[in-house]
Amino acid sequence: MGGSQSREDLELSDSEEEEEEEGNENEGERQDRDEAGPRSGGTLTPASSIDEVDRKLQALKLKYSNSSLSPSPSSSRKPNSRNAVKLYLHIGGNSPAARWVVSDKFASYEFVRDSGSDESDGEESPSSPWLLQIGSKVRSRIDPNLQLKSFPGQRRVDFVADGVWAIKFPSPESYREFQNRFQSCLFENTYGFESNQDNKVKIFGKDFTAWAQPEEEDDSIWADADESFEKSPGRLATPTRMKQDMLEEFEEEADEGGIQSLALGALDNSFLVSNSGIQVLRNFSHGVHGKGVSVKISGNGGRAVAYSTPKKALLMRAETNMLLMSPVEAGKPHATGVHHLDIETGKVVTEWKFEKDGTDITMRDITNDSKGAQLDPSESTFLGLDDNRLCRWDMRDRRGIVQNLANAKESPVLEWTQGHQFSRGTNFQCFASTGDGSIVVGSVDGKIRLYSRTSMRMAKTAFPGLGSPITHVDVTFDGKWILGTTDTYLILISTVFKDKDGKEKTGFSGRMGHRIAAPRLLKLTPLDSHLAGKDNKFHGGQFSWVTENGKQERHLVATVGKFSVIWNFQQVKNGNHECYKNQEGLKSCYCYKVVPKDESIVDSRFMHEKFAVTNSPEAPLVVATPMKVSSISISGRR
């Protein structure tokens, strides 16, 4: 999948534009209605309908002038010259016939309030959100779902609004005016305040001026990125189909299907958790293969265990044990406890209950103490997260006796050994741990907090939100980079800073102060975003997997709909990368590869780095769909 240079190119000569307009305008609008469905802001009126009305009026012998009902194009379509644009539409999707057509060569854009969002009887309210309106064909709320992408050299922006559109401006000045106004409206829609310096300080804080004014940031932190093993191209790299750069790909049917989650191991096996049990996979340097073995969940001594499909599977104790966490209520992530599974016997040996101070509590997520903790044969603690709780649980019974499920009259209680229950709404969503056990937490308000291993009460650093909830978070083994996932983009943050003595630290170990680099955003092109599906959202953004000091992650991967999307990590953090030149606002990277599948993807993750072979820069990528599991090896050649 992915865009190609020809699909994005709008650099037509005047004569080519005129021919395109004459030959394709009506055809393009008709095809667009057929393929993209109705647009927000009203449907297009076919020319035949207007002709029919005209004939009926003439049959009634009403007296009217032809000019009044049939105005000339110049008189009826002449836009406000200040807001004049040419509107293009992309048709044909990803087919060989895909192309841009001129939808309206005399369009005019406006930023308007949504009069239908309040009870003001259609009148605009200062609290109403801003909309982008272009002629009669586009009317859409200004937010990240537009996936706006800018092309300063072409005086053009692309976006998604029930279809893929592009508008081209007559001059650099009109392009810049649109960009400035758009960014102001986006800020106001996101934060509820007018876009000015005081409000930006109020939202981001004085230490995060680079987030509010990215054009003024010091890029030296990003400029320190290591030389890429895969050199950045001299021109803007465009998205590509993964199949062009693969060594090989193989896939196999999952036993009985219904895959819900993927648990990759760094040793011999990996696991697919499904509706009926757990399928065991064998790890190889070229990917994973089914062993033909499935673990059916049962209690100790053959006693049946109430089994609802777990939404979280956590490997522990040198990958011989697994914790399974199932939500109490369908559609909700919260669980009251975990099942402790012995993988070798396929039996649940303990049902642990979450409890604090004698009161049952819930957890929405669990994870290992550190990046490599699942390889530790003596591991007995793990981390837990709930909306307003961050803690560490211990499976060693406080009385020194490990309770057995077959003998226990009630579920044993996990020991709350460390943590904090916050009194005010932190709205935690997700978390991850570094190689040394530091913790990063993402929240509904978009904030990302960093906690040291020794303190879960006070965050060492709290990065402000960009307006979108963080649904998943990951961190490099060394703790220097954080990857947050939102519905419409990924956010990459550097945690590195130098203290007053010039010593390099991360935001997990000290307060970063005012010298904090602006983040980078990782996005799909508007076309790929549209092709991924209207209701599809990014999820599960991950770094490739290392568990050793001095090793550097090489790729990033995330899932959206039927796409697994891969970015080159070294290229993304290279501040001099061609993709970042002349961008407005926070810099975004569109250089990625896409692995398309025939059904929605459950999860995409890179295997442990030890499975990388000599002719590949990365360990294989494992992609799980509800019915299949695939392994993809990446080629080291361009």
Side-chain angles (χ1 to χ4, degrees):
M1 196 61 62
S4 66
Q5 195 69 23
S6 60
R7 290 219 315 257
E8 289 194 333
D9 189 17
L10 277 178
E11 288 291 0
L12 304 175
S13 67
D14 292 340
S15 59
E16 287 173 326
E17 287 181 346
E18 292 302 327
E19 291 176 8
E20 190 77 12
E21 290 158 9
E22 294 298 329
N24 290 327
E25 186 167 10
N26 292 335
E27 175 191 358
E29 293 182 1
R30 182 175 63 255
Q31 289 190 34
D32 179 47
R33 288 194 302 273
D34 293 340
E35 293 176 14
R39 309 241 176 279
S40 54
T43 57
L44 302 179
T45 304
S48 58
S49 299
I50 297 175
D51 293 341
E52 184 65 26
V53 172
D54 193 25
R55 283 194 296 271
K56 289 182 179 181
L57 289 174
Q58 290 189 42
L60 292 174
K61 297 182 180 180
L62 296 178
K63 295 182 180 181
Y64 60 92
S65 65
N66 290 335
S67 59
S68 65
L69 287 179
S70 303
S72 66
S74 60
S75 63
S76 66
R77 303 186 63 192
K78 186 175 181 180
N80 179 346
S81 59
R82 182 178 176 183
N83 295 341
V85 291
K86 183 172 291 186
L87 180 65
Y88 293 83
L89 174 69
H90 192 276
I91 63 172
N94 195 44
S95 69
R99 68 189 189 279
W100 291 99
V101 297
V102 176
S103 181
D104 192 342
K105 61 181 178 180
F106 296 110
S108 178
Y109 75 85
E110 292 181 277
F111 294 102
V112 298
R113 296 280 191 180
D114 184 4
S115 58
S117 65
D118 52 33
E119 300 178 358
S120 57
D121 297 326
E123 295 183 3
E124 291 185 0
S125 164
S127 62
S128 301
W130 287 103
L131 307 179
L132 172 62
Q133 182 170 305
I134 306 174
S136 62
K137 299 182 180 180
V138 174
R139 183 179 171 88
S140 186
R141 182 187 173 106
I142 297 174
D143 61 25
N145 289 309
L146 282 177
Q147 298 284 6
L148 192 82
K149 182 181 180 183
S150 302
F151 298 83
Q154 299 183 37
R155 308 187 310 278
R156 157 196 164 205
V157 295
D158 294 3
F159 60 94
V160 180
D162 291 333
V164 184
W165 303 86
I167 51 178
K168 197 167 183 178
F169 300 85
S171 68
E173 292 75 22
S174 59
Y175 166 82
R176 285 194 293 271
E177 182 178 350
F178 172 88
Q179 285 285 7
N180 292 336
R181 190 76 177 103
F182 180 89
Q183 293 300 327
S184 295
C185 292
L186 179 61
F187 182 93
E188 188 169 336
N189 279 358
T190 301
Y191 301 108
F193 298 101
E194 182 183 348
S195 179
N196 57 45
Q197 188 61 36
D198 289 343
N199 285 334
K200 288 180 179 180
V201 171
K202 181 187 300 184
I203 295 296
F204 293 103
K206 61 181 180 181
D207 289 340
F208 292 87
T209 55
W211 293 49
Q213 306 287 345
E215 63 277 2
E216 299 176 6
E217 100 165 301
D218 178 0
D219 269 347
S220 60
I221 292 177
W222 293 91
D224 291 338
D226 299 331
E227 269 195 39
S228 172
F229 67 91
E230 185 178 359
K231 297 293 185 180
S232 297
R235 61 178 180 82
L236 176 64
T238 54
T240 60
R241 286 182 179 273
M242 195 62 198
K243 295 183 184 297
Q244 298 172 355
D245 297 303
M246 286 191 313
L247 286 179
E248 61 177 318
E249 174 182 11
F250 62 86
E251 66 180 17
E252 54 186 315
E253 300 286 339
D255 293 350
E256 301 182 29
I259 296 172
Q260 297 291 324
S261 63
L262 171 67
L264 286 183
L267 300 177
D268 294 334
N269 300 316
S270 291
F271 306 89
L272 297 173
V273 181
S274 68
N275 296 330
S276 58
I278 298 173
Q279 181 181 346
V280 185
L281 307 173
R282 181 74 174 177
N283 293 334
F284 295 97
S285 59
H286 53 276
V288 296
H289 281 291
K291 296 177 65 174
V293 176
S294 294
V295 177
K296 304 296 182 182
I297 307 300
S298 66
N300 200 6
R303 186 167 69 86
V305 173
Y307 176 75
S308 60
T309 304
K311 296 301 181 184
K312 183 76 175 186
L314 192 67
L315 288 169
M316 296 186 69
R317 294 179 178 173
E319 301 179 358
T320 61
N321 287 241
M322 182 183 290
L323 296 182
L324 300 171
M325 191 171 80
S326 303
V328 178
E329 186 180 340
K332 302 287 185 180
H334 305 82
T336 57
V338 293
H339 289 80
H340 180 188
L341 174 70
D342 185 305
I343 293 173
E344 295 177 348
T345 64
K347 296 177 180 178
V348 173
V349 296
T350 316
E351 287 183 61
W352 294 102
K353 185 168 64 174
F354 298 129
E355 182 182 293
K356 186 179 188 301
D357 300 330
T359 303
D360 292 344
I361 63 174
T362 61
M363 291 281 112
R364 68 178 298 140
D365 200 3
I366 57 175
T367 195
N368 296 105
D369 271 349
S370 66
K371 281 277 188 182
Q374 72 187 59
L375 302 176
D376 182 357
S378 62
E379 180 187 20
S380 60
T381 61
F382 62 94
L383 301 171
L385 183 81
D386 204 27
D387 296 359
N388 299 309
R389 302 184 183 101
L390 176 62
C391 63
R392 177 171 285 106
W393 296 106
D394 195 333
M395 296 189 297
R396 292 168 295 196
D397 189 81
R398 70 191 72 183
R399 293 162 295 183
I401 302 173
V402 177
Q403 292 183 274
N404 189 288
L405 181 62
N407 303 323
K409 293 184 179 180
E410 60 181 23
S411 297
V413 176
L414 288 159
E415 178 76 6
W416 174 297
T417 62
Q418 181 187 0
H420 187 63
Q421 185 161 309
F422 297 87
S423 58
R424 289 186 295 176
T426 51
N427 291 315
F428 292 151
Q429 285 266 92
C430 50
F431 69 152
S433 55
T434 66
D436 68 1
S438 299
I439 306 165
V440 54
V441 184
S443 303
V444 172
D445 59 6
K447 288 184 178 179
I448 293 178
R449 296 174 173 87
L450 310 186
Y451 295 86
S452 70
R453 181 179 176 84
T454 57
S455 175
M456 298 182 184
R457 179 178 294 271
M458 181 69 71
K460 290 288 186 180
T461 302
F463 295 101
L466 295 178
S468 298
I470 303 296
T471 60
H472 190 271
V473 71
D474 196 20
V475 58
T476 55
F477 185 83
D478 60 16
K480 293 182 178 180
W481 303 89
I482 293 167
L483 183 66
T485 304
T486 75
D487 290 348
T488 54
Y489 58 84
L490 307 183
I491 176 171
L492 180 68
I493 300 172
S494 169
T495 71
V496 177
F497 74 103
K498 290 183 179 179
D499 64 15
K500 60 182 180 180
D501 298 322
K503 183 179 179 181
E504 184 179 279
K505 292 184 177 180
T506 71
F508 292 99
S509 59
R511 299 189 66 84
M512 296 181 68
H514 67 280
R515 191 171 180 273
I516 301 175
R520 299 287 188 259
L521 305 184
L522 281 62
K523 296 181 178 180
L524 293 181
T525 64
L527 179 56
D528 278 342
S529 178
H530 182 64
L531 294 175
K534 181 177 180 180
D535 298 320
N536 290 320
K537 302 172 182 178
F538 271 119
H539 64 89
Q542 296 272 345
F543 292 101
S544 52
W545 188 13
V546 301
T547 57
E548 184 180 339
N549 283 320
K551 293 289 184 69
Q552 179 65 71
E553 294 82 354
R554 290 173 171 266
H555 287 90
L556 315 168
V557 63
T559 299
V560 53
K562 299 179 181 179
F563 295 169
S564 289
V565 189
I566 301 169
W567 280 266
N568 177 333
F569 183 30
Q570 301 288 50
Q571 183 170 284
V572 169
K573 65 182 181 179
N574 179 2
N576 297 317
H577 174 41
E578 189 77 18
C579 202
Y580 299 137
K581 293 183 178 179
N582 302 316
Q583 286 199 12
E584 308 283 342
L586 293 174
K587 295 176 181 177
S588 301
C589 183
Y590 296 92
C591 300
Y592 53 79
K593 298 175 182 178
V594 172
V595 180
K597 291 296 174 185
D598 296 330
E599 56 181 339
S600 293
I601 295 171
V602 174
D603 204 356
S604 308
R605 298 196 179 201
F606 284 103
M607 297 179 68
H608 191 273
E609 55 94 18
K610 78 175 189 178
F611 293 105
V613 294
T614 54
N615 59 342
S616 175
E618 188 60 86
L621 177 71
V622 178
V623 179
T625 65
M627 300 303 295
K628 296 178 181 178
V629 60
S630 304
S631 300
I632 297 99
S633 296
I634 302 175
S635 170
R637 58 186 169 78
R638 286 296 297 170

